[in-house]
Amino acid sequence: MKPGEEREFTDLLLMLKETRGFDFTGYKRTTLTRRIGRRLEALKLRDYGEYRDYLELEPEEFGLLFDSLLINVTSFFRDAAAWQTLRETIVPALLSAKGPGRAIRVWSAGCATGEEAYSLAMVLADRLGLDAFRERVKIYATDLDEKALQVARTAVYTDRHLAEVPEATRRTYFEPVEGGFAFRRDLRRQLIFGRNDLTRDAPISRVDLLLARNTLMYFNTETQLNIVRKFHFALGNPGYLFLGKAEMLLNHGDKFEPVDLRMRLFRKVGPPVTGSRVPWPEEGTLVDPYAGDPALQSAALASGPVAQLVLDRSGNLAMVNSRAEALFNLTPSDIGRPFQDLEVSYRPAELRSVMDQVVADLRATELQDVTWRRPNTTETSSFDISVVPLVAAEGGELLGVGINFHDVTRYSRLRDELEQANRELEHAYEELQSLNEELETTNEELQSTNEELETTNEELQSTNEELETMNEELQSANDELQQINEVLNTRSAELDRANDFISSVVRSLGDAVIVVDGGLRVLVWSPGAEDLWGLRPEEAIGRQFTALDIGLPVEKVLPRLRSLIEAGLESGNGRMEGTVVDAVNRRGRTTRLGVSFSRLRAEDAPLHGVIMVMNLLPDE
């Protein structure tokens, strides 16, 4: 892509982000350029700048563009072998680790129209039983496309969508409705569908199984790394990750280990959960943690070495100690102000979304190594920030949120000094290793070869993801063509029935029927006329009636035709008295014909032509 095109393309993505809230900067450029190029080709536009102007003038184009970019290709039990492995290996291990009666949380990321989320619901319901499924399981399914989510919430699918679902499973979990089959309503309540942008929004936490099949392959390497970190945070321990066949975790061995690499099933790597909950004290032994001298408590908070903020349940600043006042330039007048109005809510770190997550989950969150240069100074400080919910001892009611800023600048500097010392030590080791130059050269060659192999492997993986992406695009296009073909087949059948009906009407009017327009050109030539005159419809239709070489005395019927045409709408009911003529049929025999005339009219037009109905009369 040329520099000018690159700039216009970046401006287009920025426009989509600012005006519609869709951030596609983390998606693979090759996929984006290919999909947007299709829209440019369809609209006959030359470049991205023209397309950006077109979007500003035609807002409805946004919907067509997003439908093209958000490829919703999915199906029930896609890749049957992988689902069988999930059913036989992962689900039993997961249920065994959870223990009886405990809740099971599942997240289907990039769920599209919901088929895979419902597939997982059927797998778990088969294993647990319907009653236990309703009591224990909660499936969260998210996607960026609201139209696809609406289809998923409706949960109505056609026979074509259910082709891969076994007949017995279909009878158990689906109910016939108008337009297809609906997933059972009593089980559908365990599935929650919502919009979530994997590149920007916070992940769903404490899930036991995460499905993200053929989702990562649309993002570039940096965005994939960020999303995998979120997946690792979202999963509990043990937690399992189910990816698509074109996706791998080549550089994430510290976060996930393969359970079945060929089927793209992975287990979260993390320390085992140890310890136990502190038991509730016996009745009558509860101690109020807020009892005591309020002045003493206030003095203790104010003199603490750690900068502390306390927010009430409404999100207003309730308390602040001396360290925080000096650090963030807060004053007593700031007490009672909404937290989001204060500079500290977004500097040194964005804390508003973190606070919302803490309030929602009632779980503490920590931000580590947050660097900040205070205003009007050149010194940079480092902080570990902890955001904790303040919960009442009785009832567990949320009282507020506490925010603690631990100054770890000294430790960061010590770490930097340690890294510098390590570098100096490594330099000394390099000087010592100069005695083994030949061995070092060999090791470097082997390392270079290994890096080349890893690079080749990553390139092959990237190529595989790109091919899978193109395959899904082709499948999406094929589905669209199939739907169009079904519509055309329906219309073709309707047209055939209409033609058959018109043919039967024409045959019923008389022995022969001829319809001409206002210029006396033949519009209809019935089979009876073909049998009478020996002239096929393709030889007669479109030609001047007076130019046809047939045995009909045209000079006798022509005045009536012209009179009826010239009369137009003013001729009453559009009929004219018939006449009897002697004609010669295709066998050369004289035939008496009774000819009647009627004007051909449409609802919205005055005159379209004249209908001549001819009946054979017996010879006198």
Side-chain angles (χ1 to χ4, degrees):
M1 189 180 293
K2 298 178 181 179
E5 293 180 349
E6 180 70 27
R7 184 172 59 257
E8 290 181 350
F9 188 80
T10 302
D11 291 342
L12 175 61
L13 297 184
L14 183 61
M15 173 190 179
L16 297 179
K17 179 180 178 180
E18 293 177 346
T19 60
R20 299 289 169 156
F22 285 87
D23 186 3
F24 291 104
T25 56
Y27 286 62
K28 289 182 177 177
R29 285 298 178 96
T30 54
T31 302
L32 291 177
T33 53
R34 184 168 59 251
R35 303 299 290 180
I36 296 177
R38 289 183 57 185
R39 296 303 307 156
L40 265 66
E41 183 178 353
L43 297 171
K44 302 296 189 295
L45 299 178
R46 293 176 298 177
D47 52 41
Y48 301 115
E50 286 190 2
Y51 188 55
R52 189 173 183 274
D53 296 337
Y54 184 83
L55 284 171
E56 293 178 348
L57 296 175
E58 303 291 341
E60 62 273 9
E61 172 63 18
F62 281 103
L64 299 175
L65 175 60
F66 294 148
D67 288 342
S68 179
L69 294 177
L70 303 175
I71 305 170
N72 296 314
V73 176
T74 184
S75 62
F76 287 97
F77 301 107
R78 180 167 53 166
D79 304 329
W83 278 93
Q84 188 66 22
T85 303
L86 176 76
R87 187 192 302 267
E88 296 175 354
T89 304
I90 302 300
V91 172
L94 174 61
L95 298 181
S96 176
K98 294 293 292 185
R102 294 185 60 187
I104 300 169
R105 291 165 59 89
V106 181
W107 180 16
S108 176
C111 67
T113 48
E115 282 89 332
E116 289 193 345
Y118 289 114
S119 298
L120 184 62
M122 289 185 276
V123 169
L124 292 174
D126 285 342
R127 186 76 185 187
L128 293 169
L130 299 182
D131 293 336
F133 175 83
R134 284 189 287 263
E135 294 174 0
R136 298 179 58 185
V137 176
K138 187 68 69 177
I139 299 177
Y140 302 91
T142 63
D143 198 89
L144 196 61
D145 190 345
E146 280 290 354
K147 291 175 61 178
L149 288 173
Q150 186 58 40
V151 174
R153 294 187 185 103
T154 306
V156 176
Y157 301 96
T158 63
D159 283 324
R160 182 167 61 87
H161 293 113
L162 295 172
E164 300 301 324
V165 180
E167 184 61 31
T169 303
R170 183 190 299 193
R171 288 197 301 268
T172 303
Y173 294 104
F174 288 89
E175 302 167 340
V177 296
E178 183 179 357
F181 297 87
F183 194 78
R184 287 179 50 170
R185 183 182 298 272
D186 59 324
L187 302 181
R188 200 188 317 165
R189 297 189 181 96
Q190 308 311 119
L191 288 89
I192 300 174
F193 293 91
R195 187 181 184 278
N196 183 279
D197 187 346
L198 293 176
T199 64
R200 302 170 60 187
D201 297 335
I204 297 173
S205 61
R206 296 179 289 114
V207 298
D208 304 298
L209 176 60
L210 200 162
L211 281 75
R213 312 204 63 228
N214 288 0
T215 301
L216 290 176
M217 67 183 187
Y218 293 107
F219 301 100
N220 57 36
T221 303
E222 181 180 354
T223 307
Q224 284 186 10
L225 180 63
N226 181 42
I227 293 175
V228 170
R229 285 201 201 99
K230 291 184 178 181
F231 286 171
H232 185 267
F233 171 81
L235 285 169
N237 193 9
Y240 297 91
L241 177 63
F242 188 15
L243 298 180
K245 63 182 180 180
E247 298 165 327
M248 292 284 286
L249 296 177
L250 295 174
N251 301 318
H252 305 284
D254 59 329
K255 293 182 177 62
F256 293 95
E257 61 181 3
V259 176
D260 190 322
L261 187 60
R262 190 167 64 89
M263 299 302 171
R264 305 300 190 261
L265 290 163
F266 300 87
R267 182 191 296 111
K268 175 182 177 179
V269 174
V273 179
T274 59
S276 58
R277 292 180 178 268
V278 177
W280 288 97
E282 296 181 0
E283 184 177 358
T285 62
L286 292 175
V287 178
D288 184 1
Y290 301 100
D293 185 358
L296 178 61
Q297 295 176 3
S298 177
L301 174 63
S303 61
V306 176
Q308 293 180 291
L309 305 175
V310 177
L311 313 179
D312 61 21
R313 72 181 68 187
S314 299
N316 299 323
L317 184 64
M319 299 177 67
V320 57
N321 68 354
S322 301
R323 175 64 175 160
E325 288 179 350
L327 189 61
F328 301 116
N329 295 325
L330 296 173
T331 64
S333 62
D334 292 324
I335 301 298
R337 290 181 61 189
F339 181 65
Q340 64 266 21
D341 293 346
L342 301 176
E343 183 180 1
V344 68
S345 67
Y346 57 86
R347 188 180 292 122
E350 172 57 51
L351 296 177
R352 291 168 292 190
S353 60
V354 176
M355 188 182 72
D356 293 340
Q357 189 68 32
V358 168
V359 171
D361 296 343
L362 294 182
R363 294 181 59 184
T365 298
E366 292 188 1
L367 305 177
Q368 296 181 344
D369 287 336
V370 177
T371 59
W372 180 45
R373 190 176 69 182
R374 298 182 62 182
N376 303 323
T377 65
T378 59
E379 182 180 359
T380 300
S381 302
S382 297
F383 295 92
D384 285 349
I385 305 174
S386 60
V387 184
V388 297
L390 304 178
V391 181
E394 295 184 6
E397 180 183 2
L398 179 68
L399 300 175
V401 176
I403 306 176
N404 303 316
F405 297 83
H406 301 270
D407 192 343
V408 294
T409 305
R410 182 164 59 93
Y411 304 106
S412 298
R413 290 173 180 171
L414 289 174
R415 184 174 62 246
D416 294 339
E417 293 174 0
L418 178 60
E419 291 177 356
Q420 178 64 25
N422 286 336
R423 285 193 290 269
E424 294 176 357
L425 183 60
E426 289 175 0
H427 181 68
Y429 275 123
E430 289 177 359
E431 293 179 355
L432 291 175
Q433 289 174 352
S434 61
L435 299 174
N436 301 316
E437 290 182 357
E438 184 176 352
L439 179 60
E440 182 65 23
T441 301
T442 304
N443 287 336
E444 290 178 357
E445 291 177 353
L446 291 175
Q447 179 66 22
S448 176
T449 303
N450 185 44
E451 291 178 355
E452 291 178 0
L453 290 174
E454 290 182 356
T455 301
T456 303
N457 191 25
E458 291 182 357
E459 291 176 353
L460 290 174
Q461 176 64 24
S462 177
T463 302
N464 187 34
E465 291 179 356
E466 187 70 18
L467 290 174
E468 184 66 21
T469 302
M470 295 178 65
N471 182 48
E472 294 208 347
E473 292 177 12
L474 291 174
Q475 184 177 343
S476 176
N478 185 52
D479 291 341
E480 295 175 1
L481 291 175
Q482 187 171 349
Q483 293 176 359
I484 294 173
N485 189 42
E486 291 175 356
V487 172
L488 290 177
N489 288 337
T490 303
R491 297 289 176 83
S492 179
E494 293 175 354
L495 182 60
D496 290 342
R497 290 194 297 269
N499 287 334
D500 291 342
F501 176 76
I502 291 174
S503 297
S504 63
V505 170
V506 169
R507 291 190 183 95
S508 303
L509 290 175
D511 293 325
V513 177
I514 301 174
V515 180
V516 297
D517 63 9
L520 297 180
R521 285 183 296 273
V522 177
L523 299 177
V524 175
W525 189 265
S526 73
E530 178 184 357
D531 184 65
L532 185 62
W533 311 118
L535 201 62
R536 296 190 301 273
E538 55 268 24
E539 296 174 329
I541 294 175
R543 295 180 61 188
Q544 282 286 332
F545 176 67
T546 56
L548 298 179
D549 185 14
I550 57 178
L552 180 69
V554 177
E555 65 279 0
K556 293 186 177 181
V557 300
L558 190 57
R560 295 174 181 266
L561 283 175
R562 288 176 173 167
S563 175
L564 193 57
I565 290 174
E566 292 173 357
L569 288 176
E570 299 176 357
S571 59
N573 59 10
R575 294 182 179 273
M576 179 173 286
E577 183 180 352
T579 184
V580 177
V581 298
D582 293 326
V584 179
N585 63 18
R586 63 187 180 89
R587 295 181 178 85
R589 297 178 180 176
T590 301
T591 304
R592 289 178 59 80
L593 295 177
V595 184
S596 61
F597 304 88
S598 298
R599 186 169 62 249
L600 177 66
R601 291 184 296 178
E603 294 182 358
D604 56 348
L607 179 63
H608 276 263
V610 177
I611 304 172
M612 292 186 293
V613 180
M614 305 176 187
N615 292 299
L616 296 174
L617 300 177
D619 295 333
E620 294 181 353

